[in-house]
Amino acid sequence: MDRIDKNILRHLQADGRLTNAELAKAVNVSPATCHRRTQALFDNGHITAVHGKVNPASVNRGTLVMVGVVLDRSTPESFAAFEEAVSDTKELLDCHLVAGDFDYLLKIRVKDMTDFNTMHNKMLIALPGVRQIRTFFVLKEIKENAPLDF
Amino acid sequence: MDRIDKNILRHLQADGRLTNAELAKAVNVSPATCHRRTQALFDNGHITAVHGKVNPASVNRGTLVMVGVVLDRSTPESFAAFEEAVSDTKELLDCHLVAGDFDYLLKIRVKDMTDFNTMHNKMLIALPGVRQIRTFFVLKEIKENAPLDF
DNA sequence: GATGAAATCCGAGTCAC
DNA sequence: GTGACTCGGATTTCATC
């Protein structure tokens, strides 16, 4: 990964729809070279995917909620059971096992607070081995999924 | 937004590099129609962007940290000052104003713990009006930026 | 008012060098 | 790594329902 490759990464991160021709111009190499390098970046896993970013409000997911979870017991089985149960949740965007006051931090997108309340009652408190749930409603999204700055 | 539009959204979210021809086949309309509909979805803001997903480890951002922040005082000026100061941080991916035990929740990507420690000392504790910082190192990423399921 | 067929033009992908 | 060459898709126009 030299300077040119990093530049390709930066451009594709900013705009995944750039054509190979445009990309080649932007990083100052011939289209053929650019094509081979880009291919290699995908093949080597330096770019893992290209995703269209759907406006959450357009598909009834305008409300963002962060949730901290503490499990009853800290056994491998507890963690595995929780992770499996939570993976089925359609509204779940992020799930991270963390060190600190919580065991897990979740990021959830729902339509509105009513919708979250339904989820909370049906899903969250029904998860296996949960001792405590702390809810953080997002009042304002200052930054969301910012691109990597490298 | 009818059924076909939603289908286009779903496909572009899953793979932002789909050609118009492929997309048209996938949603069962002619390439011309598909092209016009996709254009409209962008113009109306239902798709806001298409981003290549860069492997964090490939650009020295392999370590993920979540941070909870409590401010000294809850005045509009405090919030504004904090938000402006934090926006300049290159390592910051997410910043959300939340309701609950914290004022802000941050998502930060750094190279390693040493790197985070440097950041912590230089940046986080230097932010204006910060009373408390709670750090959650991510031990395992169960789910990260999952697509919207609609 | 949106659709699909055709027509043109330009880029993707592959070759030799 | 570059330049050329071929094929297929992007994009527009137009007739149609």
Side-chain angles (χ1 to χ4, degrees):
Chain A
M1 281 241 305
D2 60 9
R3 210 189 102 274
I4 295 175
D5 284 328
K6 282 196 188 173
N7 232 303
I8 293 176
L9 287 187
R10 266 186 283 262
H11 278 91
L12 282 182
Q13 186 181 221
D15 183 1
R17 282 167 64 83
L18 281 172
T19 64
N20 183 60
E22 292 168 324
L23 192 54
K25 230 170 288 177
V27 301
N28 278 314
V29 292
S30 72
T33 299
C34 185
H35 187 265
R36 249 177 306 117
R37 278 175 177 265
T38 303
Q39 192 89 332
L41 288 172
F42 276 92
D43 291 345
N44 298 333
H46 294 125
I47 306 180
T48 53
V50 178
H51 293 299
K53 197 172 175 180
V54 175
N55 185 347
S58 298
V59 291
N60 285 331
R61 294 289 203 286
T63 300
L64 186 55
V65 188
M66 314 293 272
V67 177
V69 175
V70 182
L71 297 191
D72 264 337
R73 291 167 303 151
S74 295
T75 64
E77 295 77 27
S78 306
F79 288 117
F82 177 83
E83 289 174 21
E84 202 197 349
V86 89
S87 292
D88 297 333
T89 311
K90 302 305 185 200
E91 294 87 352
L92 185 71
L93 298 188
D94 285 14
C95 174
H96 295 122
L97 176 66
V98 298
D101 294 342
F102 296 116
D103 288 316
Y104 290 96
L105 282 175
L106 313 180
K107 186 195 235 181
I108 293 173
R109 276 204 175 276
V110 290
K111 179 166 185 280
D112 49 32
M113 289 219 183
T114 305
D115 203 15
F116 178 74
N117 188 42
T118 307
M119 244 206 83
H120 187 270
N121 293 335
K122 286 203 183 148
M123 193 285 265
L124 287 177
I125 64 175
L127 285 171
V130 170
R131 178 202 301 266
Q132 191 195 30
I133 287 182
R134 190 137 305 184
T135 301
F136 304 93
F137 281 102
V138 173
L139 306 175
K140 186 181 172 194
E141 306 184 11
I142 319 297
K143 235 184 204 187
E144 165 86 352
N145 268 334
L148 297 177
D149 188 342
F150 55 96
Chain B
M1 281 240 306
D2 59 8
R3 211 190 100 275
I4 294 174
D5 284 329
K6 283 197 188 174
N7 232 303
I8 293 176
L9 287 187
R10 266 186 282 263
H11 279 91
L12 281 183
Q13 186 181 221
D15 182 2
R17 282 167 64 82
L18 280 173
T19 65
N20 183 59
E22 292 168 325
L23 192 53
K25 232 169 287 176
V27 301
N28 278 312
V29 291
S30 73
T33 298
C34 185
H35 185 263
R36 249 171 307 139
R37 279 175 177 265
T38 303
Q39 193 90 330
L41 289 172
F42 276 91
D43 291 345
N44 298 331
H46 295 125
I47 306 180
T48 53
V50 178
H51 292 301
K53 195 174 177 180
V54 174
N55 185 348
S58 298
V59 292
N60 285 331
R61 292 291 200 287
T63 300
L64 186 56
V65 188
M66 313 294 272
V67 177
V69 175
V70 182
L71 296 192
D72 264 336
R73 290 167 305 152
S74 296
T75 64
E77 296 77 26
S78 305
F79 289 117
F82 178 83
E83 289 174 19
E84 203 198 347
V86 88
S87 293
D88 296 333
T89 312
K90 302 306 183 201
E91 293 87 351
L92 185 70
L93 299 189
D94 285 14
C95 174
H96 295 122
L97 175 67
V98 297
D101 294 343
F102 296 115
D103 289 316
Y104 289 97
L105 282 175
L106 313 179
K107 185 194 233 181
I108 294 173
R109 277 205 173 275
V110 290
K111 180 166 186 278
D112 48 33
M113 290 220 183
T114 305
D115 202 14
F116 178 75
N117 188 42
T118 307
M119 244 206 82
H120 187 270
N121 293 336
K122 285 203 183 149
M123 192 285 263
L124 287 177
I125 65 176
L127 285 171
V130 170
R131 179 203 298 268
Q132 190 196 29
I133 287 181
R134 191 136 306 183
T135 301
F136 303 93
F137 282 102
V138 173
L139 307 175
K140 186 181 172 192
E141 306 184 13
I142 320 297
K143 235 186 206 185
E144 164 86 351
N145 269 331
L148 298 177
D149 188 343
F150 57 94

